[in-house]
Amino acid sequence: MTGADSLHPLRTRLRSLRPAAFGADPGGARMERIRNSPNFADGVFQNPVGARTRPSGSTLEFAKVYFRKEDRVRRSPNGAVPVHATTLADLARPPASGLRLTWMGHSSVLAEIDGRRVLFDPVWGERCSPFAFAGPKRLHPVPLPLATLGPLDAIVISHDHYDHLDLPTIRALAGTDTVFAVPLGVGAHLERWGVSADRVRELDWNESTNMAGISLTATPARHFCGRGLRNQQHTLWASWVVAGPEHRIYHSGDTGYFPGFKDIGAEHGPFDATMIQIGAYSEYWPDIHMTPDEGMQAQLDLQGGKPHGVMLPIHWGTFNLAVHPWAEPGEWTKDAAEEAEQPAAFPQPGEPFEPAGTLPLDPWWRAVAAPIAHPWRRNKARDVAQGQDSRDLDLAGER
């Protein structure tokens, strides 16, 4: 037996010890396709513009902020988060306009579009973590059990981080016949968890697939990937465009701000509704998540530079993933939307709404949130006076 041969059984044994939640590494024909991607270079997937994917600054300073008692109190609700009480009954009625969105919390959204049902980034688990005993815990219950959601035409995954790709949820959905649309490489995780290969459509950026009379297109995003102890950057991350005969919608996934939003909008927009990430931002990772101001700018870019459609803020309220106050993303986004004159919806988790109808606007988070300092309001006036672009400033760091 050669040295290489003796290593093969060792690798097999090590893989068998790998927690199921870590998923699987791409291999074979899937890995060959990854290597041939125009977005893969130097052994990893690349961002459309440069991005720091590791926290910047001093680890000690970050720890001080993270564990400071008064700040920790602000990072969680101080009461029960209100969850819409009649989600199941509301969903039983078809949308009058042909388009309805239901935010289930964080980035999970059920989109009913032109008679089809698309579920984005479904996370029904209690923790966004590989372990049941540790990691960020859900701050509100899911609006309804996954089993009662009803038939789906497509499940769309933006990337493979735990708060977007949840093992218990995928295993539950593996027993259905629904097709998954995922970025390149993510199919390896799904197949390990029981989803048959013929139900997985893996797309590189700017590739599309059609199912049930709608098209789904993977579009660029500025983020990163990885689930295991080693982050090989061998799975892609994406935003998504879903287009039906009458409506178009966009889901940002996780992303930092970048000029590519304008290109996405020019090619695929304008959109009747967008789902834009506006939470879990920080001065320690400014390139991979957007502040609410950046999210609003992305919204305008996607819509050709002016307010259009309805923006649904996502990636906030459900898990504590950053050092900003729990309710700050909602409060800040509300201010940004009013200033930009951009219609935005603020539903409770589980509250369906139609972008063409009456929008949920009540700031429900205020009843269960600690006081918020609103530092961005002061920064706005200063930026205008100094002729600065607020996206270049560390807004969250000045609280």
Side-chain angles (χ1 to χ4, degrees):
M1 178 181 287
T2 67
D5 291 335
S6 65
L7 286 174
H8 182 69
L10 176 60
R11 292 195 190 101
T12 302
R13 288 196 298 273
L14 289 174
R15 278 196 295 268
S16 70
L17 296 174
R18 177 175 175 157
F22 282 5
D25 295 326
R30 177 176 280 117
M31 192 64 216
E32 186 62 25
R33 188 180 169 205
I34 288 170
R35 291 193 185 99
N36 290 330
S37 167
N39 304 304
F40 191 81
D42 300 324
V44 296
F45 277 112
Q46 303 289 329
N47 268 300
V49 296
R52 292 165 288 174
T53 59
R54 294 181 180 275
S56 60
S58 164
T59 302
L60 179 60
E61 287 302 316
F62 176 77
K64 287 179 180 178
V65 172
Y66 190 83
F67 291 107
R68 194 159 51 208
K69 184 177 179 179
E70 59 269 27
D71 288 337
R72 291 180 67 185
V73 169
R74 296 189 185 97
R75 292 203 299 272
S76 295
N78 57 21
V81 176
V83 175
H84 189 65
T86 59
T87 306
L88 189 58
D90 294 343
L91 292 177
R93 297 184 294 271
S97 66
L99 177 63
R100 181 167 62 195
L101 302 181
T102 306
W103 180 53
M104 300 296 179
H106 202 57
S107 294
S108 303
V109 182
L110 174 66
E112 298 167 275
I113 175 171
D114 298 339
R116 300 294 180 252
R117 304 175 89 234
V118 180
L119 184 60
F120 291 94
D121 284 356
V123 174
W124 259 249
E126 281 301 304
R127 295 184 186 272
C128 52
S129 165
F131 310 110
F133 56 86
K137 192 174 182 179
R138 179 178 289 278
L139 299 174
H140 64 78
V142 291
L144 75 171
L146 188 62
T148 67
L149 195 56
L152 300 168
D153 295 287
I155 299 163
V156 176
I157 305 296
S158 65
H159 63 298
D160 69 359
H161 286 160
Y162 293 100
D163 57 323
H164 297 259
L165 182 63
D166 177 56
L167 169 60
T169 304
I170 298 302
R171 280 186 166 165
L173 292 168
T176 70
D177 59 0
T178 309
V179 175
F180 286 78
V182 303
L184 195 54
V186 174
H189 299 314
L190 302 186
E191 290 175 24
R192 185 183 181 195
W193 298 337
V195 180
S196 59
D198 63 346
R199 288 171 51 207
V200 179
R201 310 275 180 89
E202 283 183 78
L203 304 183
D204 204 342
W205 288 341
N206 302 312
E207 290 183 343
S208 300
T209 186
N210 293 288
M211 57 183 77
I214 57 174
S215 70
L216 299 94
T217 303
T219 45
R222 190 185 186 200
H223 200 56
F224 69 113
C225 64
R227 294 179 71 87
L229 297 177
R230 295 183 306 156
N231 182 4
Q232 296 181 311
Q233 298 289 77
H234 286 173
T235 59
L236 189 59
W237 48 96
S239 56
W240 288 88
V241 171
V242 177
E246 302 294 333
H247 296 93
R248 289 175 174 267
I249 58 176
Y250 172 84
H251 189 285
S252 73
D254 276 4
T255 182
Y257 180 81
F258 71 113
F261 292 115
K262 295 178 181 178
D263 299 326
I264 295 170
E267 183 167 355
H268 300 285
F271 300 101
D272 299 284
T274 62
M275 296 150 271
I276 304 290
Q277 172 262 306
I278 51 83
Y281 46 84
S282 174
E283 63 183 307
Y284 295 98
W285 49 83
D287 299 336
I288 55 173
H289 281 165
M290 293 190 291
T291 67
D293 264 354
E294 291 171 320
M296 185 55 60
Q297 186 60 56
Q299 162 72 19
L300 298 175
D301 289 352
L302 289 161
Q303 304 287 30
K306 58 184 179 181
H308 183 82
V310 174
M311 174 183 169
L312 171 63
I314 61 171
H315 203 266
W316 75 287
T318 304
F319 298 105
N320 187 344
L321 301 178
V323 298
H324 60 65
W326 168 73
E328 185 177 273
E331 196 73 25
W332 188 351
T333 302
K334 194 169 182 64
D335 277 359
E338 290 173 0
E339 181 173 331
E341 299 183 346
Q342 167 62 51
F346 298 92
Q348 294 180 8
E351 182 179 3
F353 72 94
E354 298 189 36
T358 301
L359 300 181
L361 301 176
D362 179 54
W364 51 265
W365 55 86
R366 291 177 183 170
V368 291
I372 298 174
H374 303 98
W376 59 89
R377 293 179 181 171
R378 295 193 301 272
N379 288 337
K380 291 281 189 183
R382 185 195 64 190
D383 295 348
V384 171
Q386 297 179 357
Q388 292 177 307
D389 185 340
S390 63
R391 293 194 306 274
D392 295 332
L393 300 172
D394 175 22
L395 302 181
E398 297 192 14
R399 67 178 65 87

